[in-house]
């Protein structure tokens, strides 16, 4: 089955189920399989992806975009579409619901690299609190020097406790010694995951961290 046929089926599914308010009613498995099938054609459908993600949903009532944007965001991640990163960030800031927020976060993590990192970081501290939580989670699951550098840069700005922990966790997940130094000024007793990352980074880098003794 071609990507065009799968795209048409996905649009028709979202149109048919546009009045479904309960996620239990929507055929998530079928829509996910269609997105995955489309992704096998690479960026051939990139323009369609960008077109959908650029649409702003004025009202979710009887709107097929409510469901379509979720799976198109997933598709953007599956094909690692760098040009979609700013649109995914904008969707996150719009806060259209948990499902789209989670798919945007997943997609940004899959895209990774400078495109996603720079899009996430732009005006980060001025963004809504829900955005900062999702976006910092995306950073924490990314790998690379640019990710660490940006997380540590954002750590210097004014952030809530959870977001600061994610920035430090980003550095530690990348086994960067700077994460150890940042953690020294941050309480880790109630964060076992962060503490595990701290121990692993200390061991791999050969850095001394007295509080772990």
């Amino acid at each position: 089955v071609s990507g065009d046929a799968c795209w048409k089926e996905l649009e028709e599914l979202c149109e048919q189920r546009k009045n479904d308010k309960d996620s239990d009613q929507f055929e998530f498995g079928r829509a996910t399989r269609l997105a995955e099938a489309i992704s096998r054609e690479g960026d051939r459908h990139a323009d369609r992806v960008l077109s959908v993600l650029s649409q702003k949903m004025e009202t979710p009532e009887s709107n097929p975009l409510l469901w379509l944007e979720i799976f198109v965001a997933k598709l953007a991640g599956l094909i690692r579409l760098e040009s979609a990163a700013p649109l995914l960030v904008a969707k996150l800031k719009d806060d259209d619901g948990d499902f789209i927020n989670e798919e945007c976060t997943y997609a940004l993590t899959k895209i990774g690299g400078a495109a996603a990192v720079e899009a996430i970081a732009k005006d980060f501290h001025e963004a809504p609190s829900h955005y900062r939580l999702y976006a910092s989670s995306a950073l924490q699951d990314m790998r690379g020097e640019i990710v660490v550098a940006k997380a540590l840069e954002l750590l210097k700005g004014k952030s809530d406790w959870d977001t600061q922990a994610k920035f430090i966790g980003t550095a530690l997940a990348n086994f960067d010694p700077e994460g150890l130094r940042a953690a020294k000024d941050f309480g880790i007793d109630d964060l076992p995951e962060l503490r595990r990352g701290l121990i692993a980074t200390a061991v791999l880098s050969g850095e001394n961290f007295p509080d772990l003794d």
Side-chain angles (χ1 to χ4, degrees):
V1 181
S2 70
D4 288 326
C6 289
W7 188 282
K8 184 171 184 271
E9 184 177 344
L10 179 60
E11 286 184 321
E12 290 174 347
L13 173 62
C14 294
E15 176 63 34
Q16 292 165 5
R17 313 301 298 194
K18 66 183 180 181
N19 293 315
D20 290 354
K21 296 181 180 180
D22 189 341
S23 60
D24 291 337
Q25 296 176 294
F26 191 82
E27 297 178 70
F28 271 83
R30 179 183 167 195
T32 296
R33 289 191 293 275
L34 289 169
E36 290 172 345
I38 297 168
S39 75
R40 296 189 189 107
E41 295 188 355
D43 62 0
R44 180 171 173 266
H45 303 275
D47 287 345
R48 283 174 164 173
V49 170
L50 297 176
S51 176
V52 170
L53 293 179
S54 65
Q55 296 178 46
K56 190 173 180 65
M57 186 164 56
E58 299 300 334
T59 174
E61 298 297 328
S62 300
N63 192 339
L65 186 62
L66 173 68
W67 299 110
L68 183 61
E69 67 177 7
I70 293 171
F71 297 96
V72 171
K74 179 185 287 291
L75 177 57
L78 290 171
I79 64 176
R80 293 179 168 84
L81 185 60
E82 292 185 355
S83 55
L87 297 175
L88 292 165
V89 164
K91 284 289 180 189
L92 264 180
K93 290 179 179 177
D94 286 343
D95 195 18
D96 286 338
D98 290 343
F99 288 117
I100 183 63
N101 288 346
E102 288 167 7
E103 288 300 342
C104 287
T105 302
Y106 163 83
L108 286 165
T109 300
K110 291 284 286 185
I111 293 168
V117 171
E118 294 299 337
I120 286 172
K122 186 177 181 182
D123 300 325
F124 182 91
H125 294 293
E126 290 73 38
S129 59
H130 80 273
Y131 170 78
R132 297 196 301 271
L133 184 62
Y134 278 108
S136 58
S137 295
L139 278 181
Q140 193 169 12
D141 288 332
M142 294 182 193
R143 300 294 176 263
E145 292 182 3
I146 188 173
V147 180
V148 175
K150 189 59 69 174
L152 293 174
E153 178 185 322
L154 290 171
L155 182 62
K156 297 174 183 177
K158 186 177 181 181
S159 299
D160 57 77
W161 191 83
D162 288 335
T163 303
Q164 287 180 319
K166 289 182 182 297
F167 290 148
I168 294 172
T170 299
L172 294 175
N174 283 272
F175 305 112
D176 192 291
E178 288 297 322
L180 291 175
R181 290 183 268 280
K184 287 181 179 179
D185 299 321
F186 194 82
I188 62 170
D189 292 340
D190 297 326
L191 295 169
E193 184 177 343
L194 195 61
R195 188 177 179 84
R196 285 194 295 271
L198 217 159
I199 293 171
T201 303
V203 171
L204 289 173
S205 65
E207 293 274 340
N208 182 38
F209 199 92
D211 290 349
L212 296 179
D213 294 337

